[in-house]
C-alpha cells in the first residue's frame, strides 16, 4: 500500500523556467501554517468523522479533517481549510470516477509513459524524459464539478458535496506549451486538447462507457501542465500519480489523473464522460453534447470561520474568514455579509497572492452580538464578473457557485 509522508510542513518552491513562482514566506503563510493548525481543527471536528474508514489508497489522510462519503469520494470539512493558502495533501478532497490503478504503478515513477499525439513529431515519452525538458511550479484551485451539489433542492444523484470538494494546491511539472514546442508544434489546427486516463477498465465492457477521457478547448494548453509533484511531494496515487494533466481554472474532471495520452484533436472525445456526463442540462432534459460542458469554473467563495463545523461562537469580536477564487480570472475583491445578504462590507485579502488560478483568503473583523447570524461572502473577479446569488439549476447538480447556498448559519451565545 502506498504511503505518503505526514509532514506537510516540509515544503519548498522549485525554481523552474520563467513562469515559475517564487513566494517569500510561503512555508509559514501557507502549508506549514495550515498543517500546524490540524490539532486545533481536529478538536472541533464532530465525532462523525469516523463514521466511514478511509480507503487504503488514501489511508494517510487526516481523518479528523475529512468526511468519507465512499471509497472514491472524500470531502474536506468546512472548518478544516484553516488560514493557509495551500491545502495540505492530507486534508485535500478525493474524487475518482473509477477505482485508482494498483499502487505498483508508483514503484518506478520515471518509467510511466505518456503518448503525445496531434503534434508534428508525435512521440511516447517517459516521465523521466519529461523531467529533462522543462519544469514550472504553479498554484491552482482544484474543485470537483459537483462541489455544492448538496444544496440543490431536487437532490441530484451523486455525492452530496457541500463546500469541501475543493482545495488550493501547488503543482510542479512541465508546461504543455513547452512540450508541444519540443515536439515541433501542433499538427494542423486542432480545436481541443484531450487527455486520457490510465485506470484499468473492467473486461467485457465498452471502454467508451467507462474510460476517463476529457477534451477541453485547445487554448488551455498555454497554462496547462503535466504534473508529477503536488505540494512539493511526488504525486500520490489518490491524486493522480505518477502523472496528472492540470488544466488551470477548469473543474477537476478535466484535470485527468494517471494520464497516458495527451492528444490535440479536431473533435471532442466520443466517450460517455465527455458526451453526456458533466453536461449542464436543464432539469427536464437528458444531458447530451448539445448542453454546455463542465469546463471553466465561475467566481465562488465561502466563509470557513467562525462556527463552520458547529463549534460554539461567543458574542463579541470575531474574525470572519474564508476563501475565494474566480476560475480563469484573478480575484479583485470580496464582500462579506452578516445578515444573509441584506448588507455587505468589503473584506481584506490576506496572505500571499499565488497567481490568478489560486484562491485568495479573506478576512473581516466584526462585532457579533448574541443570536442567529447568516454569514455570506461574494467575490468579484478582475473582469467585473460577480459571484451569483442563485445557483444555475441543472439536472446533475454541477457548478454551484451561489453565495446564498454557501452562506453559513451560526448561533452566537
Amino acid at each position: 500500500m502506498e504511503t505518503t509522508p505526514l509532514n506537510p510542513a516540509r515544503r519548498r518552491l522549485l525554481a523552474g523556467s520563467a513562469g515559475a513562482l517564487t513566494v517569500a514566506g510561503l512555508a509559514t503563510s501557507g502549508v506549514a501554517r495550515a498543517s500546524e493548525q490540524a490539532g486545533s481543527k481536529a478538536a472541533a471536528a464532530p465525532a462523525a468523522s469516523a463514521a466511514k474508514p478511509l480507503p487504503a489508497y488514501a489511508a494517510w489522510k487526516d481523518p479528523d479533517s475529512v468526511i468519507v462519503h465512499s471509497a472514491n469520494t472524500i470531502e474536506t470539512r468546512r472548518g478544516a481549510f484553516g488560514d493557509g493558502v495551500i491545502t495540505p495533501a492530507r486534508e485535500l478532497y478525493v474524487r475518482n470516477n473509477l477505482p485508482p490503478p494498483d499502487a505498483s504503478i508508483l514503484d518506478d515513477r520515471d518509467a510511466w509513459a505518456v503518448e503525445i499525439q496531434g503534434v508534428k513529431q508525435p512521440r511516447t515519452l517517459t516521465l523521466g524524459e519529461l523531467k529533462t525538458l522543462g519544469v514550472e511550479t504553479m498554484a491552482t484551485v482544484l474543485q470537483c464539478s459537483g462541489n455544492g451539489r448538496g444544496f440543490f433542492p431536487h437532490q441530484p444523484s451523486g455525492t452530496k458535496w457541500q463546500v469541501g470538494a475543493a482545495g488550493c494546491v501547488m503543482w510542479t511539472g512541465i508546461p504543455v506549451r513547452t512540450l508541444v514546442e519540443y515536439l515541433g508544434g501542433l499538427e494542423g489546427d486542432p480545436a481541443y486538447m484531450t487527455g486520457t486516463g490510465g485506470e484499468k477498465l473492467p473486461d467485457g465492457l465498452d471502454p467508451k462507457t467507462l474510460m476517463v477521457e476529457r477534451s477541453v478547448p485547445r487554448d488551455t494548453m498555454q497554462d496547462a501542465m503535466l504534473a508529477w509533484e503536488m505540494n512539493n511531494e511526488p504525486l500520490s496515487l489518490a491524486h493522480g500519480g505518477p502523472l496528472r494533466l492540470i488544466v488551470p481554472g477548469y473543474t477537476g474532471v478535466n484535470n485527468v489523473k494517471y494520464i497516458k495520452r495527451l492528444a490535440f484533436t479536431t473533435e471532442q472525445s466520443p466517450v460517455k464522460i465527455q458526451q453526456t456526463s458533466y453536461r449542464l442540462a436543464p432539469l427536464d432534459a437528458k444531458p447530451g453534447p448539445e448542453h454546455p460542458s463542465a469546463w471553466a469554473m465561475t467566481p465562488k467563495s465561502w466563509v470557513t470561520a467562525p462556527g463552520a463545523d458547529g463549534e460554539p461562537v461567543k458574542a463579541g469580536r470575531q474574525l470572519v474568514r474564508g476563501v475565494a477564487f474566480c476560475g480563469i480570472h484573478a480575484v479583485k475583491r470580496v464582500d462579506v455579509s452578516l445578515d444573509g445578504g441584506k448588507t455587505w462590507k468589503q473584506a481584506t485579502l490576506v496572505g500571499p497572492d499565488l497567481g490568478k488560478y489560486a484562491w485568495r483568503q479573506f478576512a473581516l473583523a466584526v462585532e457579533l452580538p448574541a443570536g442567529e447570524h447568516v454569514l455570506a461572502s461574494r467575490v468579484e473577479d478582475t473582469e467585473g464578473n460577480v459571484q451569483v446569488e442563485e445557483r444555475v439549476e441543472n439536472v446533475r447538480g454541477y457548478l454551484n457557485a451561489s453565495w446564498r447556498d454557501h452562506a453559513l448559519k451560526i448561533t452566537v451565545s
Side-chain angles (χ1 to χ4, degrees):
M1 182 183 71
E2 177 200 10
T3 59
T4 294
L6 295 185
N7 181 18
R10 188 180 72 82
R11 296 288 187 264
R12 74 188 188 281
L13 286 180
L14 295 181
S17 51
L21 295 172
T22 303
V23 182
L26 177 63
T28 55
S29 297
V31 178
R33 185 176 176 189
S35 302
E36 288 163 2
Q37 293 172 344
S40 60
K41 289 183 290 183
S49 62
K52 291 182 180 179
L54 286 160
Y57 71 91
W60 47 271
K61 288 190 176 287
D62 178 12
D64 293 314
S65 296
V66 299
I67 303 165
V68 180
H69 294 289
S70 73
N72 287 323
T73 51
I74 302 170
E75 179 171 1
T76 307
R77 290 189 176 278
R78 188 170 189 145
F81 287 110
D83 294 328
V85 180
I86 298 300
T87 307
R90 65 199 301 259
E91 299 174 6
L92 183 65
Y93 85 101
V94 173
R95 167 68 172 110
N96 289 321
N97 280 284
L98 291 172
D102 190 87
S104 62
I105 66 171
L106 304 182
D107 290 345
D108 185 359
R109 291 172 177 270
D110 283 353
W112 183 265
V114 57
E115 184 180 5
I116 313 298
Q117 298 179 341
V119 292
K120 292 181 179 177
Q121 302 166 25
R123 281 184 60 184
T124 296
L125 295 165
T126 66
L127 176 50
E129 290 174 309
L130 291 176
K131 290 179 179 178
T132 70
L133 302 180
V135 64
E136 286 190 9
T137 294
M138 67 175 170
T140 77
V141 171
L142 186 67
Q143 179 184 223
C144 178
S145 308
N147 197 28
R149 178 183 289 130
F151 301 122
F152 280 84
H154 72 282
Q155 293 296 295
S157 61
T159 301
K160 303 300 188 289
W161 305 107
Q162 299 293 304
V163 302
C168 184
V169 294
M170 299 291 296
W171 305 103
T172 295
I174 180 172
V176 170
R177 65 180 184 277
T178 301
L179 180 59
V180 169
E181 182 180 0
Y182 172 73
L183 296 176
L186 296 177
E187 180 68 34
D189 188 26
Y192 301 99
M193 179 176 69
T194 299
T196 307
E199 294 95 341
K200 178 176 172 51
L201 302 178
D203 296 330
L205 297 176
D206 182 356
K208 290 183 179 180
T209 65
L210 293 172
M211 67 187 303
V212 178
E213 184 173 88
R214 288 287 294 177
S215 300
V216 293
R218 182 190 69 187
D219 288 348
T220 59
M221 65 169 274
Q222 296 302 321
D223 290 336
M225 170 186 288
L226 293 180
W228 53 78
E229 284 191 2
M230 188 183 83
N231 291 356
N232 196 47
E233 300 286 354
L235 194 54
S236 68
L237 190 71
H239 295 296
L243 191 66
R244 182 172 188 172
L245 174 64
I246 303 302
V247 185
Y250 277 53
T251 62
V253 69
N254 303 290
N255 294 245
V256 177
K257 297 178 179 179
Y258 325 110
I259 187 165
K260 291 289 291 183
R261 173 179 172 265
L262 182 67
F264 294 91
T265 58
T266 57
E267 302 292 338
Q268 295 183 31
S269 169
V271 305
K272 179 181 178 181
I273 200 173
Q274 180 74 32
Q275 293 295 315
T276 60
S277 300
Y278 294 92
R279 296 283 176 169
L280 278 71
L283 297 183
D284 59 351
K286 183 178 180 180
E290 69 275 16
H291 300 119
S293 191
W295 278 344
M297 297 181 289
T298 57
K300 186 172 181 176
S301 68
W302 60 83
V303 171
T304 61
D309 289 328
E311 65 272 18
V313 180
K314 293 184 178 181
R317 192 73 166 178
Q318 292 285 350
L319 194 64
V320 177
R321 308 191 302 278
V323 296
F325 55 96
C326 294
I328 59 176
H329 301 299
V331 170
K332 178 181 178 181
R333 63 177 285 167
V334 178
D335 295 318
V336 167
S337 174
L338 308 181
D339 53 18
K342 296 177 182 178
T343 60
W344 298 89
K345 286 187 177 181
Q346 185 172 353
T348 300
L349 299 178
V350 297
D353 182 351
L354 299 184
K356 68 178 183 179
Y357 296 123
W359 65 28
R360 297 300 307 273
Q361 304 151 278
F362 62 85
L364 179 68
V366 299
E367 291 289 336
L368 284 180
E372 303 291 325
H373 299 272
V374 179
L375 310 182
S377 61
R378 183 180 62 190
V379 62
E380 178 182 354
D381 71 18
T382 51
E383 300 297 310
N385 301 302
V386 179
Q387 182 176 357
V388 297
E389 178 177 356
E390 303 295 344
R391 74 190 83 83
V392 177
E393 300 289 353
N394 63 93
V395 66
R396 296 284 176 82
Y398 292 135
L399 293 178
N400 187 356
S402 161
W403 64 253
R404 187 170 295 282
D405 278 352
H406 289 76
L408 177 64
K409 297 179 182 179
I410 64 172
T411 300
V412 177
S413 58

